[in-house]
């Protein structure tokens, strides 16, 4: 990785630029079926956008969005974002999302939505705690079977993120509640390798205002070492989130913890 060159973001429109996006998408997800270039060209000409992040002349990240409509509201559907493996963990994803917000507001959008795997906590921290999005819907096996390196072997469950880019929710959110004063909705034990394994789930705390859901912060490592444990995390978190979100709760933040392998989602009854 060469960070001597500044990271430059810009909107992409040409066939050459969008071909580079397709190639980077294939690299990021080891995907043999990326978004076709002719499709992304049509998207940017019809209310969507593709934003590229460059180090010098090299494309190192992208964000791809298209218009959405649910019968009442027009919004921007943020379909995918990818960062080259050599340039991760330096804040490029957040920069792309902030630029997306700016461009979307200029185009007249008020809302951006997207989905992500709730067990991918790096994404959760960015989407909720840094950007200020909220999740009100849990979608079971959203995309069906996905053979790529991150998703293969498990149901493709997803959170639906709502990012009100013109409102108060579009702000960084840090929860400061004491971990020991908030009910935990999953009991966790450690396996022989020190990885967390979910045990009992608790669905009887509906009189509380705030609840925590423990989740592993190294889910891909668990999946690589113990697919059965990864599936247990998928099914038990699905049970908790579908129960509470169906009753009007929402996921408002992901709180990092001092525990080596655990973080905690914050769910509450009120939008914050």
């Amino acid at each position: 990785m060469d960070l001597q060159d500044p990271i430059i973001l810009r909107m992409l429109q040409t066939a050459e630029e969008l071909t580079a996006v397709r190639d980077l998408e294939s690299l990021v997800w080891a995907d043999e079926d990326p978004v076709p270039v002719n499709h992304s060209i049509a998207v940017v000409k019809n209310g969507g956008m593709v934003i590229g992040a460059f180090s010098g002349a090299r494309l190192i990240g992208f964000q791809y969005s298209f218009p959405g409509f649910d019968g009442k509201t027009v919004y921007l559907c943020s379909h995918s974002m990818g960062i080259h493996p050599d340039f991760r963990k330096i804040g490029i994803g957040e920069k792309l999302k902030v630029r997306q917000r700016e461009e979307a507001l200029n185009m007249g959008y008020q809302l951006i939505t997207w989905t992500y795997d709730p067990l991918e906590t790096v994404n959760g921290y960015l989407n909720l705690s840094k950007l200020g999005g909220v999740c009100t819907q849990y979608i079971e096996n959203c995309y069906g079977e996905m053979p790529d390196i991150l998703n293969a072997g498990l149901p493709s469950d997803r959170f639906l993120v709502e990012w009100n880019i013109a409102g108060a929710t579009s702000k960084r959110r840090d929860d400061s509640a004491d971990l020991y004063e908030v009910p935990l909705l999953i009991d966790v034990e450690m396996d022989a390798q020190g990885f967390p394994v979910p045990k009992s789930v608790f669905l009887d705390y509906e009189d509380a205002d705030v609840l925590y859901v423990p989740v592993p912060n190294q889910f891909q490592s668990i999946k690589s070492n113990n697919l059965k444990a990864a599936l247990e995390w998928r099914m038990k978190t699905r049970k908790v989130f579908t129960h509470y979100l169906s009753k009007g709760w929402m996921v408002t933040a992901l709180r990092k913890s001092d525990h080596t392998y655990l973080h905690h989602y914050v769910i509450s009854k009120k939008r914050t």
Side-chain angles (χ1 to χ4, degrees):
M1 176 174 61
D2 184 2
L3 293 180
Q4 294 181 351
D5 293 321
I7 305 299
I8 303 298
L9 305 184
R10 69 169 187 263
M11 300 283 278
L12 306 182
Q13 297 182 342
T14 70
E16 180 180 11
E17 292 171 332
L18 296 173
T19 297
V21 171
R22 180 202 63 191
D23 295 343
L24 180 55
E25 181 183 1
S26 296
L27 171 67
V28 169
W29 287 289
D31 191 353
E32 297 180 359
D33 189 27
V35 176
V37 174
N38 61 351
H39 187 278
S40 56
I41 290 174
V43 164
V44 299
K45 292 180 181 296
N46 292 278
M49 67 176 75
V50 180
I51 305 170
F54 291 83
S55 176
R58 182 184 182 187
L59 179 71
I60 59 171
F62 72 91
Q63 200 292 313
Y64 168 72
S65 309
F66 55 81
F69 179 61
D70 62 5
K72 296 181 180 179
T73 304
V74 176
Y75 52 90
L76 189 66
C77 182
S78 184
H79 180 64
S80 60
M81 181 169 69
I83 311 297
H84 191 285
D86 292 343
F87 290 84
R88 291 175 184 164
K89 298 183 179 180
I90 59 172
I92 295 175
E94 184 175 4
K95 293 179 186 297
L96 283 167
K97 295 299 290 186
V98 171
R99 179 63 177 270
Q100 179 194 41
R101 178 182 184 273
E102 295 171 354
E103 297 291 347
L105 285 170
N106 289 337
M107 295 171 70
Y109 290 106
Q110 303 291 302
L111 175 69
I112 302 177
T113 71
W114 64 92
T115 61
Y116 80 95
D117 186 339
L119 294 177
E120 296 292 349
T121 54
V122 171
N123 295 340
Y125 188 69
L126 171 63
N127 295 337
L128 306 183
S129 295
K130 285 190 172 183
L131 298 177
V134 297
C135 298
T136 59
Q137 184 177 351
Y138 187 97
I139 307 172
E140 296 182 20
N141 203 25
C142 180
Y143 299 109
E145 182 179 348
M146 301 179 71
D148 64 272
I149 190 170
L150 293 178
N151 296 285
L154 294 175
S156 57
D157 290 19
R158 296 293 185 267
F159 274 155
L160 176 66
V161 180
E162 298 176 6
W163 196 23
N164 179 7
I165 58 174
T169 60
S170 182
K171 296 179 180 178
R172 188 181 183 99
R173 185 183 300 115
D174 290 312
D175 179 80
S176 58
D178 190 327
L179 176 64
Y180 299 102
E181 296 178 355
V182 177
L184 301 180
L185 299 182
I186 299 177
D187 185 34
V188 179
E189 295 180 359
M190 299 300 151
D191 66 14
Q193 296 176 290
F195 287 115
V197 178
K199 296 298 181 181
S200 303
V201 301
F202 305 103
L203 306 179
D204 54 354
Y205 285 110
E206 293 174 15
D207 291 335
D209 292 322
V210 177
L211 299 169
Y212 279 179
V213 182
V215 287
N217 63 16
Q218 297 185 29
F219 182 63
Q220 289 298 325
S221 294
I222 293 174
K223 182 182 169 186
S224 297
N225 286 278
N226 188 340
L227 185 59
K228 181 180 178 181
L231 183 59
E232 279 293 303
W233 274 112
R234 173 67 83 221
M235 303 313 293
K236 283 187 165 58
T237 53
R238 173 194 287 185
K239 186 174 182 179
V240 167
F241 287 124
T242 54
H243 175 83
Y244 284 95
L245 268 60
S246 70
K247 295 180 179 296
W249 292 69
M250 59 188 64
V251 188
T252 57
L254 186 133
R255 186 184 180 197
K256 295 182 178 181
S257 76
D258 295 332
H259 194 287
T260 305
Y261 293 118
L262 285 177
H263 290 335
H264 298 86
Y265 276 110
V266 181
I267 64 174
S268 65
K269 288 182 177 179
K270 297 180 181 180
R271 192 178 296 267
T272 59

